[in-house]
Structure formats: C-alpha cells, structure tokens
Amino acid sequence: MEMKTNKEEEVEWATTVWSHLTALRDRSPLIQCITNFVSMDLVANTLLSAGASPAMIHSQQEFSDFTPHAHALYVNVGTLSPDWLSSMKAAALLANDLRKPWVLDPVAAGSSQFRLNACLELLLLKPTVIRGNASEIIALSQAGIDMGPTKGVDSCHESMDAVEAAKFLAEKSGSIVAVSGAVDIICSSKSITHGDRLVFVHNGVPMLQKITATGCAVTALIAAFVAAADPLHAFDATVSALSVFAIAGEMGMELAKGPASLRMHLIDSLYGLDQPALLSRINITGLSCHNT
C-alpha cells in the first residue's frame, strides 16, 4: 500500500477541514450550551463568529420545548453545583433520546471529589466527544487513583503526557477524546462509527492560555462542527474544530499586542478564515491508535 507524503496528508486534511467549516457556515447549527458563567460570553461569540447559533439554556423547565430544536448539546462543568449537575444529566439524557450529539468539557475534573464524581456520572451518559486539558483527561482516565495536584482549571501536564490516558478513556467511554495543549490530541477507540485513530493538531499559540475560557470556547466549537457533520464523520469534525480554532489563534496573534487584543482578533480571524489561509497554515498529522 502506497504511503502518503506529508504534503499529500496536509492537502487532504485541508480539504476535510474546509469542508467541515463550510458545512457549519451553511447549516448554522443551533447549539444548546450549559456552560459556566465565566465562559458564556466567549463561547457565544466563538460560535457566532464561526457561523453557529448559541443558546445558553440550562433550566430543566425549558428542555422539553427547546432541546428538540437544538442540533447539539454542549455541557461544561466549570461552575458546578448540584442543581446544575441535575440539569446537565437531564439534558444529556434528552439529547441521547433525540439522537443528538453532545460534547462534555470536564473542567478541573480532578480538583475535588464532587467534581470528579459528577464528571464520571456524565461519562456514563455517553458523550459524543470529551474535550479537556491533559490534567483533566488524566484525572478521568485514572479516576480513584492519586495523581497529584491538577492546578484548578489549568493543566499541570503537557498535552503529550496524556496520549495514553486519552487512548484509555476513548476505549473505556466509547467517546472521541480530545486533549488541548501545545499539540492537540484527538483519539478514538475501535467502533463502527469512529474507528481506531490518533491525530495531532500542531497549530496554536501559547498566549491563548492567558485568555480565560478559550478551552471552553473550543469545546463549544467542537459541538458546532459535530452538529453540522454526518454522525459517521464526528471524528474528522472534532479535528477540524480544533484546527480551525488554533489557526484563528495564530492569525489573531499576528495582530495582537497582548491577551486582550488576541481575544478580539481571535474572533475576527475565526469569522474571516478563508480556504487559502487554512491551506497555508494547516498542520495535522495522524497515526494508528492502539492501546497496549
């Protein structure tokens, strides 16, 4: 079997990512967001600039009327409480009943037992995608094992430290697992829908870590990309979302003077991203993903 060159692989990924971004812009999926107070503004503006439609709906009293009209659900446990956890579980159950994709952001999963248990309960409801930083993914994959400090919502680990944890969590949960960091990792285990895959996105800029809620925003973007895609292509949609967000960050960084202006230019770049810019910047590599 003839192996593809790096250039051929890049062109193929560029075509795939552009196709997913175009689908999102054409379909403008409605994303129900149950997300933390800190992130709501950036999440909403990220979705809008990419072409999706956000709705911050977290009251269970609205789910029966609203959720059937949403194209995907995004759940973020950042400002967690027992009442919010109840709403998250109810929304995820309804999304499953309606066969709509839903995406989980397990913010600071290992920072408290309540938070870890809440995330594990949500994992049982089979999210389509789990997106976290390295520490969060490690915490979920090793639940119940002492892993040391997790530094709140920040990560004490590099993304590449979490490769084996991502593989294990993907196999255990049946979800696509994405790890954000200097290199973004996307992994899925053997299944009819996603196959057995491990992909790395090498774009992005370190200063994004100085802007609160960028991780939350990219998880919401994953929900939008997955919503606009064929369910069989949820993996590629996840890779595409991470790639587009990281490339927009690079473009924004060229105009920014610091974190505040990067936030503004990130949103502008996401809105204006075109095919030539995507093709010139994309940096995605892939390997087979076997858990030994």
Side-chain angles (χ1 to χ4, degrees):
M1 183 177 178
E2 187 176 348
M3 296 293 291
K4 294 176 184 175
T5 65
N6 289 340
K7 187 61 179 177
E8 287 173 333
E9 189 176 30
E10 284 181 7
V11 171
E12 184 174 311
W13 268 116
T15 300
T16 297
V17 173
W18 180 251
S19 174
H20 280 283
L21 178 57
T22 300
L24 188 158
R25 289 170 171 173
D26 288 344
R27 296 170 188 171
S28 189
L30 177 61
I31 310 302
Q32 180 181 350
C33 303
I34 304 179
T35 190
N36 67 79
F37 299 117
V38 177
S39 73
M40 287 183 182
D41 175 78
L42 185 57
V43 163
N45 282 302
T46 295
L47 289 173
L48 286 168
S49 63
S53 180
M56 306 297 162
I57 303 291
H58 61 263
S59 172
Q60 291 190 53
Q61 284 71 25
E62 294 189 275
F63 291 174
S64 61
D65 293 326
F66 183 85
T67 305
H69 301 289
H71 297 102
L73 169 70
Y74 159 54
V75 173
N76 177 300
V77 303
T79 47
L80 189 62
S81 73
D83 287 343
W84 275 57
L85 176 58
S86 178
S87 289
M88 292 169 181
K89 291 164 69 175
L93 282 168
L94 183 54
N96 288 340
D97 288 344
L98 296 167
R99 298 191 175 184
K100 296 178 185 289
W102 75 278
V103 179
L104 174 64
D105 193 327
V107 178
S111 63
S112 74
Q113 195 61 49
F114 168 65
R115 187 172 291 271
L116 180 58
N117 289 342
C119 290
L120 294 176
E121 289 177 29
L122 289 166
L123 284 184
L124 293 176
L125 302 180
K126 302 295 183 184
T128 309
V129 184
I130 306 161
R131 199 293 314 169
N133 64 35
S135 293
E136 291 158 353
I137 298 305
I138 291 170
L140 291 180
S141 70
Q142 299 181 354
I145 301 173
D146 183 10
M147 295 159 290
T150 62
K151 199 180 176 184
V153 300
D154 297 323
S155 180
C156 295
H157 303 85
E158 298 295 331
S159 59
M160 297 304 289
D161 297 336
V163 171
E164 293 304 318
K167 291 181 188 180
F168 178 78
L169 185 59
E171 181 177 322
K172 181 170 138 181
S173 66
S175 303
I176 298 163
V177 176
V179 188
S180 295
V183 177
D184 295 331
I185 303 162
I186 308 92
C187 184
S188 68
S189 66
K190 291 179 181 177
S191 71
I192 294 173
T193 304
H194 307 130
D196 193 17
R197 303 174 67 185
L198 179 64
V199 168
F200 303 94
V201 176
H202 301 270
N203 298 99
V205 293
M207 194 176 287
L208 286 173
Q209 298 176 28
K210 300 298 183 182
I211 305 170
T212 190
T214 51
C216 307
V218 77
T219 311
L221 191 63
I222 290 170
F225 270 78
V226 171
D230 184 302
L232 293 175
H233 299 146
F235 185 92
D236 285 353
T238 302
V239 175
S240 298
L242 287 160
S243 177
V244 163
F245 190 83
I247 288 171
E250 290 179 352
M251 293 170 65
M253 192 67 230
E254 292 175 359
L255 301 170
K257 295 181 179 180
S261 54
L262 175 56
R263 186 185 192 274
M264 176 183 69
H265 290 301
L266 167 69
I267 294 169
D268 285 349
S269 297
L270 188 55
Y271 175 78
L273 182 60
D274 59 19
Q275 192 171 15
L278 185 72
L279 181 59
S280 68
R281 293 175 179 270
I282 200 160
N283 190 357
I284 299 173
T285 58
L287 297 169
S288 61
C289 177
H290 296 290
N291 200 19
T292 57

